[in-house]
Amino acid sequence: MGSVPFHYVDLRTFCYATEDEKRVEDALRRFLPEEFELERVVNEGHHGDRIVVYSARVERADDVRHVLATLSELAEWDRVLAELDDRVDDNNSLFLRLDKQAAFKGRVALGPGITLRAKVEAYPAKREKAVANARETFEELAEEAADGESGEAA
């Protein structure tokens, strides 16, 4: 992948009192470059329970490429592409929800637990242009994923 079509990528997950913090951190790190710094904030839930929020903002092009390379393992590209118009908002932000449990187990899947928000580059800064840019990138990722499954060299 040559150019990076995102200004940045934000990843965030919550660790509830019933979860192991190390496992939740490992799940989030599944999408991040090695040794990437996480922000950790301890909060209190409505009923006084402890909730730890882990988050990271990926801004460097090589780091964004790493996140995208990890996302290329996603099996549900048809669904993401079909829902792309609904996944990009009026501020040119793209949203995906990734399965925290699957990430902990080393897999990449859509599902609850990890929120990915990516600011899509678009010139001019119009939603339609952002959707088109995201679609082009995700079609390329889907193709890479398909090539990986069939054993072809890219």
Side-chain angles (χ1 to χ4, degrees):
M1 172 169 290
S3 66
V4 178
F6 301 109
H7 294 289
Y8 58 83
V9 176
D10 288 331
L11 291 158
R12 183 178 69 192
T13 191
F14 298 97
C15 179
Y16 300 99
T18 57
E19 296 178 304
D20 180 275
E21 276 193 56
K22 178 71 173 118
R23 287 179 171 217
V24 172
E25 182 180 332
D26 288 348
L28 187 60
R29 287 193 178 283
R30 171 75 176 91
F31 299 94
L32 297 168
E34 209 172 302
E35 303 298 322
F36 199 87
E37 189 174 328
L38 288 181
E39 184 176 331
R40 181 182 178 274
V41 177
V42 179
N43 288 307
E44 187 174 300
H46 180 70
H47 299 288
D49 51 321
R50 184 167 164 241
I51 300 172
V52 179
V53 180
Y54 286 101
S55 60
R57 175 166 282 193
V58 180
E59 295 177 306
R60 289 184 45 235
D62 286 343
D63 294 340
V64 172
R65 280 188 197 91
H66 178 89
V67 174
L68 293 174
T70 304
L71 281 179
S72 73
E73 300 171 26
L74 192 65
E76 300 108 325
W77 281 115
D78 290 343
R79 177 178 165 196
V80 171
L81 290 167
E83 298 171 350
L84 206 51
D85 284 334
D86 296 327
R87 292 182 176 276
V88 177
D89 69 9
D90 291 337
N91 293 318
N92 296 344
S93 291
L94 166 88
F95 294 90
L96 291 175
R97 289 187 38 144
L98 303 164
D99 189 311
K100 181 167 47 173
Q101 193 69 10
F104 173 71
K105 293 177 180 178
R107 294 183 290 112
V108 178
L110 296 179
I114 299 173
T115 303
L116 179 145
R117 175 181 169 256
K119 185 69 170 188
V120 184
E121 286 184 355
Y123 302 104
K126 302 277 188 214
R127 184 179 171 283
E128 296 75 24
K129 181 67 174 161
V131 170
N133 287 349
R135 182 173 309 283
E136 181 179 327
T137 299
F138 285 169
E139 285 174 346
E140 187 177 323
L141 289 175
E143 189 175 300
E144 288 175 19
D147 287 348
E149 288 175 9
S150 65
E152 293 178 27

PDB file of all heavy atoms in Angstrom, residues 59-71:
ATOM      1  N   GLU A  59      -0.893   8.219  14.091  1.00  0.00           N
ATOM      2  CA  GLU A  59      -0.816   9.340  13.151  1.00  0.00           C
ATOM      3  C   GLU A  59       0.278   9.177  12.093  1.00  0.00           C
ATOM      4  O   GLU A  59       0.101   9.645  10.972  1.00  0.00           O
ATOM      5  CB  GLU A  59      -0.578  10.649  13.908  1.00  0.00           C
ATOM      6  CG  GLU A  59      -1.729  11.034  14.810  1.00  0.00           C
ATOM      7  CD  GLU A  59      -1.455  12.290  15.616  1.00  0.00           C
ATOM      8  OE1 GLU A  59      -0.422  12.334  16.309  1.00  0.00           O
ATOM      9  OE2 GLU A  59      -2.275  13.212  15.534  1.00  0.00           O
ATOM     10  N   ARG A  60       1.374   8.556  12.439  1.00  0.00           N
ATOM     11  CA  ARG A  60       2.475   8.385  11.479  1.00  0.00           C
ATOM     12  C   ARG A  60       2.036   7.443  10.363  1.00  0.00           C
ATOM     13  O   ARG A  60       1.405   6.422  10.603  1.00  0.00           O
ATOM     14  CB  ARG A  60       3.710   7.834  12.173  1.00  0.00           C
ATOM     15  CG  ARG A  60       4.378   8.832  13.095  1.00  0.00           C
ATOM     16  CD  ARG A  60       5.686   8.303  13.712  1.00  0.00           C
ATOM     17  NE  ARG A  60       6.526   7.640  12.724  1.00  0.00           N
ATOM     18  CZ  ARG A  60       6.981   6.396  12.857  1.00  0.00           C
ATOM     19  NH1 ARG A  60       6.691   5.690  13.920  1.00  0.00           N
ATOM     20  NH2 ARG A  60       7.727   5.851  11.909  1.00  0.00           N
ATOM     21  N   ALA A  61       2.410   7.759   9.138  1.00  0.00           N
ATOM     22  CA  ALA A  61       1.971   6.979   7.973  1.00  0.00           C
ATOM     23  C   ALA A  61       2.334   5.496   8.100  1.00  0.00           C
ATOM     24  O   ALA A  61       1.505   4.631   7.819  1.00  0.00           O
ATOM     25  CB  ALA A  61       2.576   7.563   6.693  1.00  0.00           C
ATOM     26  N   ASP A  62       3.547   5.182   8.549  1.00  0.00           N
ATOM     27  CA  ASP A  62       3.943   3.780   8.684  1.00  0.00           C
ATOM     28  C   ASP A  62       3.095   3.061   9.726  1.00  0.00           C
ATOM     29  O   ASP A  62       2.764   1.881   9.577  1.00  0.00           O
ATOM     30  CB  ASP A  62       5.425   3.660   9.047  1.00  0.00           C
ATOM     31  CG  ASP A  62       6.338   3.956   7.864  1.00  0.00           C
ATOM     32  OD1 ASP A  62       5.846   3.928   6.706  1.00  0.00           O
ATOM     33  OD2 ASP A  62       7.538   4.214   8.094  1.00  0.00           O
ATOM     34  N   ASP A  63       2.742   3.770  10.794  1.00  0.00           N
ATOM     35  CA  ASP A  63       1.908   3.176  11.841  1.00  0.00           C
ATOM     36  C   ASP A  63       0.477   2.961  11.344  1.00  0.00           C
ATOM     37  O   ASP A  63      -0.138   1.936  11.646  1.00  0.00           O
ATOM     38  CB  ASP A  63       1.918   4.048  13.096  1.00  0.00           C
ATOM     39  CG  ASP A  63       3.298   4.110  13.761  1.00  0.00           C
ATOM     40  OD1 ASP A  63       4.130   3.224  13.492  1.00  0.00           O
ATOM     41  OD2 ASP A  63       3.529   5.051  14.542  1.00  0.00           O
ATOM     42  N   VAL A  64      -0.020   3.906  10.557  1.00  0.00           N
ATOM     43  CA  VAL A  64      -1.361   3.739   9.970  1.00  0.00           C
ATOM     44  C   VAL A  64      -1.341   2.551   9.011  1.00  0.00           C
ATOM     45  O   VAL A  64      -2.281   1.749   8.991  1.00  0.00           O
ATOM     46  CB  VAL A  64      -1.841   5.037   9.272  1.00  0.00           C
ATOM     47  CG1 VAL A  64      -3.130   4.789   8.506  1.00  0.00           C
ATOM     48  CG2 VAL A  64      -2.035   6.159  10.291  1.00  0.00           C
ATOM     49  N   ARG A  65      -0.273   2.413   8.239  1.00  0.00           N
ATOM     50  CA  ARG A  65      -0.141   1.254   7.343  1.00  0.00           C
ATOM     51  C   ARG A  65      -0.184  -0.053   8.140  1.00  0.00           C
ATOM     52  O   ARG A  65      -0.770  -1.037   7.696  1.00  0.00           O
ATOM     53  CB  ARG A  65       1.162   1.327   6.547  1.00  0.00           C
ATOM     54  CG  ARG A  65       1.098   2.238   5.359  1.00  0.00           C
ATOM     55  CD  ARG A  65       2.366   2.107   4.494  1.00  0.00           C
ATOM     56  NE  ARG A  65       2.454   3.239   3.607  1.00  0.00           N
ATOM     57  CZ  ARG A  65       3.100   4.383   3.884  1.00  0.00           C
ATOM     58  NH1 ARG A  65       3.747   4.528   5.014  1.00  0.00           N
ATOM     59  NH2 ARG A  65       3.104   5.370   3.021  1.00  0.00           N
ATOM     60  N   HIS A  66       0.429  -0.051   9.317  1.00  0.00           N
ATOM     61  CA  HIS A  66       0.407  -1.248  10.163  1.00  0.00           C
ATOM     62  C   HIS A  66      -1.028  -1.592  10.571  1.00  0.00           C
ATOM     63  O   HIS A  66      -1.436  -2.752  10.499  1.00  0.00           O
ATOM     64  CB  HIS A  66       1.275  -1.041  11.410  1.00  0.00           C
ATOM     65  CG  HIS A  66       1.256  -2.213  12.330  1.00  0.00           C
ATOM     66  ND1 HIS A  66       2.146  -3.250  12.212  1.00  0.00           N
ATOM     67  CD2 HIS A  66       0.433  -2.533  13.356  1.00  0.00           C
ATOM     68  CE1 HIS A  66       1.870  -4.153  13.130  1.00  0.00           C
ATOM     69  NE2 HIS A  66       0.842  -3.740  13.841  1.00  0.00           N
ATOM     70  N   VAL A  67      -1.787  -0.585  10.990  1.00  0.00           N
ATOM     71  CA  VAL A  67      -3.190  -0.800  11.368  1.00  0.00           C
ATOM     72  C   VAL A  67      -3.960  -1.354  10.166  1.00  0.00           C
ATOM     73  O   VAL A  67      -4.717  -2.325  10.290  1.00  0.00           O
ATOM     74  CB  VAL A  67      -3.844   0.494  11.891  1.00  0.00           C
ATOM     75  CG1 VAL A  67      -5.334   0.294  12.130  1.00  0.00           C
ATOM     76  CG2 VAL A  67      -3.166   0.969  13.172  1.00  0.00           C
ATOM     77  N   LEU A  68      -3.770  -0.752   9.005  1.00  0.00           N
ATOM     78  CA  LEU A  68      -4.467  -1.209   7.797  1.00  0.00           C
ATOM     79  C   LEU A  68      -4.052  -2.626   7.406  1.00  0.00           C
ATOM     80  O   LEU A  68      -4.896  -3.424   6.986  1.00  0.00           O
ATOM     81  CB  LEU A  68      -4.224  -0.242   6.639  1.00  0.00           C
ATOM     82  CG  LEU A  68      -4.846   1.144   6.803  1.00  0.00           C
ATOM     83  CD1 LEU A  68      -4.411   2.061   5.665  1.00  0.00           C
ATOM     84  CD2 LEU A  68      -6.355   1.056   6.887  1.00  0.00           C
ATOM     85  N   ALA A  69      -2.778  -2.943   7.551  1.00  0.00           N
ATOM     86  CA  ALA A  69      -2.320  -4.299   7.238  1.00  0.00           C
ATOM     87  C   ALA A  69      -2.999  -5.313   8.157  1.00  0.00           C
ATOM     88  O   ALA A  69      -3.389  -6.395   7.727  1.00  0.00           O
ATOM     89  CB  ALA A  69      -0.803  -4.387   7.366  1.00  0.00           C
ATOM     90  N   THR A  70      -3.166  -4.951   9.418  1.00  0.00           N
ATOM     91  CA  THR A  70      -3.865  -5.834  10.355  1.00  0.00           C
ATOM     92  C   THR A  70      -5.331  -5.956   9.957  1.00  0.00           C
ATOM     93  O   THR A  70      -5.890  -7.051   9.960  1.00  0.00           O
ATOM     94  CB  THR A  70      -3.730  -5.305  11.796  1.00  0.00           C
ATOM     95  OG1 THR A  70      -2.336  -5.175  12.110  1.00  0.00           O
ATOM     96  CG2 THR A  70      -4.376  -6.251  12.786  1.00  0.00           C
ATOM     97  N   LEU A  71      -5.944  -4.847   9.584  1.00  0.00           N
ATOM     98  CA  LEU A  71      -7.350  -4.882   9.155  1.00  0.00           C
ATOM     99  C   LEU A  71      -7.537  -5.725   7.903  1.00  0.00           C
ATOM    100  O   LEU A  71      -8.624  -6.261   7.681  1.00  0.00           O
ATOM    101  CB  LEU A  71      -7.870  -3.471   8.880  1.00  0.00           C
ATOM    102  CG  LEU A  71      -8.273  -2.635  10.072  1.00  0.00           C
ATOM    103  CD1 LEU A  71      -8.747  -1.263   9.597  1.00  0.00           C
ATOM    104  CD2 LEU A  71      -9.348  -3.312  10.896  1.00  0.00           C
TER     105      LEU A  71
END
